[in-house]
Amino acid sequence: MNRVRQTLNAYSVLFLSDRLEFSVILLLASFLHPWAGFCGLLSVIFANECAMALGLSTFSIQKGYYGFNALLVGLGIGSTFAMTPLLIFLVIAASVFCLFLTVVMEGVLGKYGLPYLSLPFVITFWMIIPASRYLPLSHALVGSGAISQGYLLPWVHYFRSLGAVVFSPDVLTGGLIAIGLFWVSRIAFGLSLVGFFGVWFLTHALPVHWAFMDYGFLGYNVILTSMALGGVFLIPSFRSYLLVLGLIPLTLLLSLALNGFVSRG
């Protein structure tokens, strides 16, 4: 039973939560794209088993802190590449490497009281993408996330942004996640709306080149940043909401800059 709970906890940590029911919802949402969902689940299981074999902190394992970055790696690999036996090996190897990075960053950043958040995932995934050019892997068929001259409703992009957290930027996945988020925390849900619609109105007020906008990538960064600053690292209050709104332009610029950097890589 402990293994089941520690696996599920890795899902809810993605949204800075520890609610079991939300974990189940996120697990189901990830399997709306079965191959990506399978890779994510496999990655969490191997990371947790490796952490237990190494005798790492039982508390961190149970809370999902050693598993959520591996989960992101598995979901990313499964949504990027088509299903092959080689990819199973890649998922397992990447999850273990991501665990080692997590432990290293926990030790280095933890000394200064800084959270490592999803840095292990980012580094691991940035290594996998260039390395994949030398492996017999084919890319999965995915839909474009680009906006189409702003004619789609902003709520559609909001749901797609929520779905992008589990590498499934579609309305159905995002809608399921939104229901779960509202169920477990109205504060977190409200902050996600403040963050997303803040950046939505900002981008429509600026002369942005819409053809290069991707609300899946941009939206989930703003949503998670808003939830973390407004409801986790700070006590939820009117001032924390103002801080979230004030940092939206900075989050927008950083997200677009990183998106351009990754696209050229």
mmCIF file of all heavy atoms in Angstrom, residues 4-20:
data_model
loop_
_atom_site.group_PDB
_atom_site.id
_atom_site.type_symbol
_atom_site.label_atom_id
_atom_site.label_comp_id
_atom_site.label_asym_id
_atom_site.label_seq_id
_atom_site.Cartn_x
_atom_site.Cartn_y
_atom_site.Cartn_z
ATOM 1 N N VAL A 4 1.972 2.133 -3.469
ATOM 2 C CA VAL A 4 0.909 2.755 -4.265
ATOM 3 C C VAL A 4 0.786 4.227 -3.906
ATOM 4 O O VAL A 4 0.701 5.097 -4.788
ATOM 5 C CB VAL A 4 -0.435 2.033 -4.032
ATOM 6 C CG1 VAL A 4 -1.575 2.773 -4.738
ATOM 7 C CG2 VAL A 4 -0.356 0.597 -4.523
ATOM 8 N N ARG A 5 0.786 4.514 -2.617
ATOM 9 C CA ARG A 5 0.628 5.915 -2.179
ATOM 10 C C ARG A 5 1.805 6.781 -2.601
ATOM 11 O O ARG A 5 1.621 7.921 -3.059
ATOM 12 C CB ARG A 5 0.461 5.947 -0.651
ATOM 13 C CG ARG A 5 0.184 7.356 -0.101
ATOM 14 C CD ARG A 5 -1.097 7.912 -0.695
ATOM 15 N NE ARG A 5 -1.288 9.307 -0.362
ATOM 16 C CZ ARG A 5 -1.987 9.736 0.692
ATOM 17 N NH1 ARG A 5 -2.540 8.863 1.524
ATOM 18 N NH2 ARG A 5 -2.143 11.017 0.925
ATOM 19 N N GLN A 6 3.029 6.274 -2.492
ATOM 20 C CA GLN A 6 4.189 7.078 -2.873
ATOM 21 C C GLN A 6 4.224 7.320 -4.378
ATOM 22 O O GLN A 6 4.686 8.377 -4.836
ATOM 23 C CB GLN A 6 5.480 6.419 -2.406
ATOM 24 C CG GLN A 6 5.866 5.141 -3.126
ATOM 25 C CD GLN A 6 6.976 4.380 -2.419
ATOM 26 O OE1 GLN A 6 7.144 4.482 -1.205
ATOM 27 N NE2 GLN A 6 7.743 3.602 -3.159
ATOM 28 N N THR A 7 3.702 6.370 -5.135
ATOM 29 C CA THR A 7 3.605 6.565 -6.579
ATOM 30 C C THR A 7 2.580 7.638 -6.909
ATOM 31 O O THR A 7 2.832 8.538 -7.719
ATOM 32 C CB THR A 7 3.226 5.247 -7.275
ATOM 33 O OG1 THR A 7 4.242 4.265 -7.033
ATOM 34 C CG2 THR A 7 3.087 5.449 -8.774
ATOM 35 N N LEU A 8 1.431 7.565 -6.261
ATOM 36 C CA LEU A 8 0.367 8.544 -6.513
ATOM 37 C C LEU A 8 0.772 9.940 -6.062
ATOM 38 O O LEU A 8 0.423 10.935 -6.703
ATOM 39 C CB LEU A 8 -0.918 8.108 -5.816
ATOM 40 C CG LEU A 8 -1.631 6.888 -6.406
ATOM 41 C CD1 LEU A 8 -2.787 6.463 -5.523
ATOM 42 C CD2 LEU A 8 -2.116 7.184 -7.822
ATOM 43 N N ASN A 9 1.491 10.026 -4.955
ATOM 44 C CA ASN A 9 1.887 11.337 -4.442
ATOM 45 C C ASN A 9 2.753 12.113 -5.427
ATOM 46 O O ASN A 9 2.746 13.345 -5.437
ATOM 47 C CB ASN A 9 2.641 11.180 -3.115
ATOM 48 C CG ASN A 9 1.713 10.925 -1.951
ATOM 49 O OD1 ASN A 9 0.505 11.142 -2.041
ATOM 50 N ND2 ASN A 9 2.255 10.440 -0.853
ATOM 51 N N ALA A 10 3.512 11.387 -6.258
ATOM 52 C CA ALA A 10 4.354 12.062 -7.246
ATOM 53 C C ALA A 10 3.512 12.866 -8.232
ATOM 54 O O ALA A 10 3.988 13.858 -8.795
ATOM 55 C CB ALA A 10 5.207 11.040 -7.999
ATOM 56 N N TYR A 11 2.272 12.464 -8.435
ATOM 57 C CA TYR A 11 1.383 13.175 -9.364
ATOM 58 C C TYR A 11 0.865 14.468 -8.760
ATOM 59 O O TYR A 11 0.914 15.528 -9.401
ATOM 60 C CB TYR A 11 0.223 12.264 -9.772
ATOM 61 C CG TYR A 11 0.605 11.178 -10.736
ATOM 62 C CD1 TYR A 11 1.189 9.995 -10.290
ATOM 63 C CD2 TYR A 11 0.401 11.320 -12.099
ATOM 64 C CE1 TYR A 11 1.557 8.994 -11.174
ATOM 65 C CE2 TYR A 11 0.765 10.325 -13.004
ATOM 66 C CZ TYR A 11 1.342 9.159 -12.528
ATOM 67 O OH TYR A 11 1.712 8.175 -13.411
ATOM 68 N N SER A 12 0.377 14.420 -7.533
ATOM 69 C CA SER A 12 -0.195 15.623 -6.929
ATOM 70 C C SER A 12 0.860 16.680 -6.647
ATOM 71 O O SER A 12 0.564 17.878 -6.652
ATOM 72 C CB SER A 12 -0.938 15.270 -5.633
ATOM 73 O OG SER A 12 -0.076 14.637 -4.707
ATOM 74 N N VAL A 13 2.121 16.260 -6.417
ATOM 75 C CA VAL A 13 3.196 17.224 -6.174
ATOM 76 C C VAL A 13 3.384 18.149 -7.377
ATOM 77 O O VAL A 13 3.822 19.294 -7.232
ATOM 78 C CB VAL A 13 4.517 16.496 -5.829
ATOM 79 C CG1 VAL A 13 5.698 17.462 -5.776
ATOM 80 C CG2 VAL A 13 4.393 15.784 -4.492
ATOM 81 N N LEU A 14 3.036 17.687 -8.568
ATOM 82 C CA LEU A 14 3.150 18.527 -9.758
ATOM 83 C C LEU A 14 2.378 19.821 -9.597
ATOM 84 O O LEU A 14 2.756 20.858 -10.142
ATOM 85 C CB LEU A 14 2.636 17.778 -11.001
ATOM 86 C CG LEU A 14 3.397 16.529 -11.437
ATOM 87 C CD1 LEU A 14 2.755 15.936 -12.678
ATOM 88 C CD2 LEU A 14 4.860 16.843 -11.693
ATOM 89 N N PHE A 15 1.274 19.766 -8.859
ATOM 90 C CA PHE A 15 0.462 20.955 -8.609
ATOM 91 C C PHE A 15 0.573 21.413 -7.156
ATOM 92 O O PHE A 15 -0.341 22.043 -6.629
ATOM 93 C CB PHE A 15 -1.000 20.672 -8.974
ATOM 94 C CG PHE A 15 -1.266 20.696 -10.453
ATOM 95 C CD1 PHE A 15 -1.122 19.543 -11.206
ATOM 96 C CD2 PHE A 15 -1.649 21.859 -11.099
ATOM 97 C CE1 PHE A 15 -1.361 19.550 -12.572
ATOM 98 C CE2 PHE A 15 -1.892 21.877 -12.456
ATOM 99 C CZ PHE A 15 -1.745 20.717 -13.204
ATOM 100 N N LEU A 16 1.699 21.056 -6.524
ATOM 101 C CA LEU A 16 1.990 21.522 -5.169
ATOM 102 C C LEU A 16 0.914 21.101 -4.176
ATOM 103 O O LEU A 16 0.543 21.855 -3.275
ATOM 104 C CB LEU A 16 2.143 23.054 -5.165
ATOM 105 C CG LEU A 16 3.081 23.617 -6.242
ATOM 106 C CD1 LEU A 16 2.976 25.132 -6.311
ATOM 107 C CD2 LEU A 16 4.511 23.198 -5.990
ATOM 108 N N SER A 17 0.434 19.888 -4.341
ATOM 109 C CA SER A 17 -0.627 19.361 -3.482
ATOM 110 C C SER A 17 -0.197 18.009 -2.925
ATOM 111 O O SER A 17 0.773 17.395 -3.407
ATOM 112 C CB SER A 17 -1.932 19.216 -4.275
ATOM 113 O OG SER A 17 -2.925 18.562 -3.523
ATOM 114 N N ASP A 18 -0.900 17.559 -1.887
ATOM 115 C CA ASP A 18 -0.648 16.216 -1.350
ATOM 116 C C ASP A 18 -1.937 15.431 -1.184
ATOM 117 O O ASP A 18 -1.990 14.469 -0.428
ATOM 118 C CB ASP A 18 0.097 16.305 -0.012
ATOM 119 C CG ASP A 18 -0.687 17.066 1.055
ATOM 120 O OD1 ASP A 18 -1.787 17.582 0.735
ATOM 121 O OD2 ASP A 18 -0.210 17.151 2.201
ATOM 122 N N ARG A 19 -2.970 15.842 -1.916
ATOM 123 C CA ARG A 19 -4.277 15.196 -1.803
ATOM 124 C C ARG A 19 -4.331 13.945 -2.671
ATOM 125 O O ARG A 19 -4.052 13.983 -3.879
ATOM 126 C CB ARG A 19 -5.383 16.153 -2.212
ATOM 127 C CG ARG A 19 -5.491 17.380 -1.313
ATOM 128 C CD ARG A 19 -6.131 17.041 0.009
ATOM 129 N NE ARG A 19 -7.516 16.654 -0.178
ATOM 130 C CZ ARG A 19 -8.527 17.544 -0.200
ATOM 131 N NH1 ARG A 19 -8.275 18.849 -0.059
ATOM 132 N NH2 ARG A 19 -9.767 17.131 -0.358
ATOM 133 N N LEU A 20 -4.717 12.823 -2.046
ATOM 134 C CA LEU A 20 -4.732 11.542 -2.734
ATOM 135 C C LEU A 20 -5.721 11.538 -3.889
ATOM 136 O O LEU A 20 -5.424 11.009 -4.979
ATOM 137 C CB LEU A 20 -5.074 10.427 -1.735
ATOM 138 C CG LEU A 20 -5.145 9.012 -2.309
ATOM 139 C CD1 LEU A 20 -3.807 8.590 -2.899
ATOM 140 C CD2 LEU A 20 -5.579 8.021 -1.221
#
